[in-house]
């Protein structure tokens, strides 16, 4: 249950200033030139995946829909723009009436993507579409980077539980978005209460080393925690001597002790020793949780260890070395004139250095092989081949300015699991490699 379910207010301020100044100066120039009303198509895509990654994960779509709904130039925002002389008065008057009235199509949240995949398509007048560029990219680039890292960690964990605990390693607002994206990517819970409140993500947490150090002895600290939180709590056992701490923990909580957490040392070795000790003490159902600067490689290295859950912080909320997906927002088609019936003309950037784009309003489909496993990402601008009609990826998200595809976060999480399972097995390899699917242009 989240804040909206409880009928509580959720802060939804205007997102209009989550943008770059040149979006507004382009608008002003286009209004003056008479081209602002030309029907336009913008697409979000990435030219390449981060080095060594085999697939991307789209996250943040739900947040994009919220941002589009709340993209409003209220009096305070307009006053700021006027005071700074960012744009002229006719432009300010236009902005005061701004409401996105176009259409948005895209890959549903949780879906995987590849280089060239048109993960989002925004259609409307040039003026109303161009203003959304920065806020859309800031959300999708951040959230998709976190979700991709989370997905790799989830695959490496092999079904063991994953706890997101990176709030203290990033900006306080980014931490909430990171928790959401990690949940989409396969994590099970978060330590961040703001994420639990806003998005209904399960929250967990018990104590830190400071709680043990506060008390006169480790025994006193454990007793206080068990008496307060119950025998099913998780006790942190590496403040002093791990072996002694485990013995004390079981003496106080009994075999009903929920879990012990290990936050330092050789996690593989210590986990084996702790498991053997817990079993000898009769606490066979007590779980082992490990933390300590984990990433997907460290998680994979613990596959043979008797670990039940992993807590991940820094590496997760920084995208495990790739904090952005390098997505771009490009104009790919525009009307020949401001006439609503004017035909769309494909346009594309032709610059050197690998930054060219492919013009035209695109569809995308994922072609399966005879066994039903994905074998190619197919992107085209003409008619969709009949054999791909049932495998198209884009869905309608916004129609005539109204959101038509809002869904529970659980749906995106489940979708990602299904999408990942539909990829070739090599997608799960952590070794560096090329995208697991080629992108073919039809």
């Amino acid at each position: 249950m989240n804040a909206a379910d409880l009928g509580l207010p959720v802060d939804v301020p205007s997102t209009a200033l989550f943008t770059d100044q040149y979006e507004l100066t382009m608008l002003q120039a286009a209004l003056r030139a008479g081209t602002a009303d030309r029907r336009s198509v913008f697409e979000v895509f990435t030219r390449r995946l981060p080095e060594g990654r085999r697939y991307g994960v789209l996250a943040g779509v739900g947040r994009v829909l919220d941002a589009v709904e709340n993209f409003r130039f209220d009096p305070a925002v307009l006053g700021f723009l006027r005071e700074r002389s960012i744009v002229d008065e006719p432009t300010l008057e236009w902005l005061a009436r701004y409401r996105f009235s176009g259409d948005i199509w895209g890959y549903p949240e949780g879906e995987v993507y590849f280089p060239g995949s048109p993960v989002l398509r925004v259609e409307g007048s040039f003026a109303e579409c161009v203003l959304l560029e920065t806020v859309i990219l800031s959300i999708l680039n951040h959230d998709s980077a976190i979700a991709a890292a989370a997905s790799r960690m989830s695959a490496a964990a092999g079904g063991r539980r994953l706890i997101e605990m990176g709030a203290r390693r990033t900006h306080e607002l980014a931490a909430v978005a990171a928790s959401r994206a990690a949940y989409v990517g396969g994590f099970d819970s978060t330590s961040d209460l703001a994420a639990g409140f806003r998005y209904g993500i399960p929250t967990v947490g018990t104590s830190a080393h400071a709680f043990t150090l506060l008390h006169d002895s480790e025994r006193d600290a454990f007793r206080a925690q068990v008496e307060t939180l119950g025998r099913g709590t998780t006790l942190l056992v590496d403040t002093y001597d791990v072996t002694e701490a485990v013995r004390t923990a079981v003496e106080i909580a009994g075999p009903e002790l929920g879990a012990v957490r290990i936050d330092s040392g050789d996690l593989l070795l210590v986990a084996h020793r702790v498991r053997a000790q817990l079993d000898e003490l009769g606490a066979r159902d007590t779980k082992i949780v490990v933390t300590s600067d984990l990433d997907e490689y460290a998680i994979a290295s613990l596959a043979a260890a008797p670990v039940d859950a992993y807590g991940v912080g820094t590496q997760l909320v920084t995208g495990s070395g790739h904090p952005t997906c390098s997505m771009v927002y490009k104009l790919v088609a525009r009307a020949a004139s401001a006439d609503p019936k004017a035909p769309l003309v494909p346009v594309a950037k032709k610059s050197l250095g690998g930054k060219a784009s492919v013009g035209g309003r695109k569809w995308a489909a994922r072609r399966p092989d005879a066994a039903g496993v994905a074998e190619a990402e197919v992107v085209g601008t003409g008619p969709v081949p009949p054999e791909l009609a049932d495998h198209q990826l884009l869905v309608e998200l916004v129609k005539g300015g109204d959101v038509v595809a809002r869904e529970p976060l659980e749906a995106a999480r489940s979708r990602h699991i299904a999408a990942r399972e539909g990829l070739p097995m090599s997608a799960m390899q952590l070794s560096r490699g090329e995208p697991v699917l080629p992108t073919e242009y039809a």
Side-chain angles (χ1 to χ4, degrees):
M1 184 172 290
N2 57 25
D5 294 332
L6 294 170
L8 298 174
V10 177
D11 187 22
V12 284
S14 167
T15 54
L17 290 184
F18 291 155
T19 192
D20 292 305
Q21 180 168 314
Y22 80 165
E23 313 290 8
L24 301 188
T25 54
M26 280 193 288
L27 168 65
Q28 177 176 307
L31 288 171
R32 187 169 298 179
T35 53
D37 289 333
R38 286 191 177 187
R39 190 160 53 99
S40 300
V41 180
F42 287 83
E43 289 176 351
V44 176
F45 62 93
T46 185
R47 297 184 176 93
R48 63 191 65 84
L49 297 180
E51 184 179 358
R53 295 288 173 89
R54 297 175 183 266
Y55 62 92
V57 181
L58 183 66
V61 175
R63 296 210 306 123
V64 165
L65 298 179
D66 291 340
V68 171
E69 279 191 329
N70 293 305
F71 205 90
R72 303 283 188 270
F73 291 84
D74 57 34
V77 170
L78 293 169
F80 166 78
L81 297 175
R82 181 176 289 108
E83 178 185 349
R84 297 290 183 93
S85 299
I86 304 294
V87 290
D88 60 18
E89 283 300 322
T91 305
L92 289 173
E93 292 175 9
W94 189 95
L95 291 173
R97 301 187 300 272
Y98 179 84
R99 299 290 186 275
F100 180 73
S101 63
D103 303 327
I104 299 178
W105 289 70
Y107 283 33
E109 188 157 17
E111 184 58 84
V112 297
Y113 68 87
F114 299 91
S117 296
V119 296
L120 203 73
R121 189 175 72 222
V122 183
E123 305 182 34
S125 71
F126 176 84
E128 62 181 344
C129 294
V130 74
L131 293 181
L132 300 176
E133 175 181 8
T134 302
V135 69
I136 286 176
L137 288 180
S138 65
I139 292 172
L140 295 185
N141 269 313
H142 174 269
D143 290 22
S144 297
I146 306 304
S151 179
R152 285 163 59 85
M153 294 174 188
S154 174
R160 295 173 177 176
R161 297 187 68 78
L162 288 162
I163 306 163
E164 184 280 312
M165 47 194 303
R168 63 190 63 189
R169 303 299 188 215
T170 188
H171 185 278
E172 69 272 17
L173 299 182
V176 182
S179 295
R180 184 186 183 281
Y183 193 66
V184 170
F187 273 59
D188 300 286
S189 57
T190 179
S191 65
D192 191 287
L193 291 177
F197 175 74
R198 182 173 290 272
Y199 298 117
I201 301 170
T203 58
V204 297
T206 51
S207 67
H209 291 103
F211 184 77
T212 300
L213 296 170
L214 168 69
H215 292 80
D216 295 334
S217 69
E218 194 168 51
R219 179 177 294 274
D220 289 344
F222 287 176
R223 182 179 293 109
Q225 184 173 326
V226 170
E227 289 178 352
T228 303
L229 301 179
R231 297 176 185 272
T233 192
T234 299
L235 295 176
L236 181 57
V237 295
D238 72 326
T239 305
Y240 305 117
D241 179 84
V242 173
T243 301
E244 182 61 29
V246 171
R247 182 181 300 112
T248 302
V250 177
E251 286 179 5
I252 292 173
E256 298 85 12
L257 175 62
V260 295
R261 178 162 75 95
I262 307 166
D263 188 51
S264 59
D266 183 336
L267 297 178
L268 178 63
L269 176 63
V270 176
H272 276 288
R273 289 178 174 174
V274 168
R275 181 73 270 161
Q277 185 182 8
L278 287 169
D279 291 348
E280 290 173 1
L281 295 171
R284 296 184 177 277
D285 294 329
T286 298
K287 309 297 184 184
I288 296 177
V289 180
V290 296
T291 53
S292 185
D293 294 326
L294 299 177
D295 62 10
E296 60 265 48
Y297 301 102
I299 291 171
S301 73
L302 292 168
V307 171
D308 300 286
Y310 305 93
V312 190
T314 303
Q315 290 301 316
L316 176 61
V317 298
T318 57
S320 194
H322 298 289
T324 181
C325 302
S326 298
M327 290 181 179
V328 294
Y329 184 96
K330 296 297 180 183
L331 181 66
V332 297
R334 51 88 174 166
S337 70
D339 184 341
K341 297 181 180 180
L344 285 174
V345 178
V347 295
K349 184 176 179 180
K350 300 297 184 184
S351 58
L352 301 177
K355 297 185 72 174
S357 57
V358 178
R361 182 180 185 272
K362 300 175 192 68
W363 53 263
R366 188 160 301 142
R367 187 176 70 235
D369 63 16
V373 177
E375 66 175 11
E377 191 90 339
V378 185
V379 178
T381 56
V384 180
E387 66 273 17
L388 294 178
D390 293 334
H391 302 287
Q392 294 187 73
L393 293 162
L394 279 79
V395 299
E396 193 169 31
L397 302 171
V398 176
K399 183 176 183 179
D402 296 324
V403 174
V404 295
R406 202 175 298 283
E407 63 181 5
L409 194 57
E410 289 289 347
R413 175 182 168 83
S414 298
R415 180 180 297 114
H416 175 62
I417 294 171
R420 193 174 68 187
E421 290 177 347
L423 297 176
M425 291 184 64
S426 56
M428 302 304 106
Q429 294 176 345
L430 294 180
S431 57
R432 292 186 177 274
E434 298 299 315
V436 71
L437 296 186
T439 301
E440 300 176 0
Y441 289 93

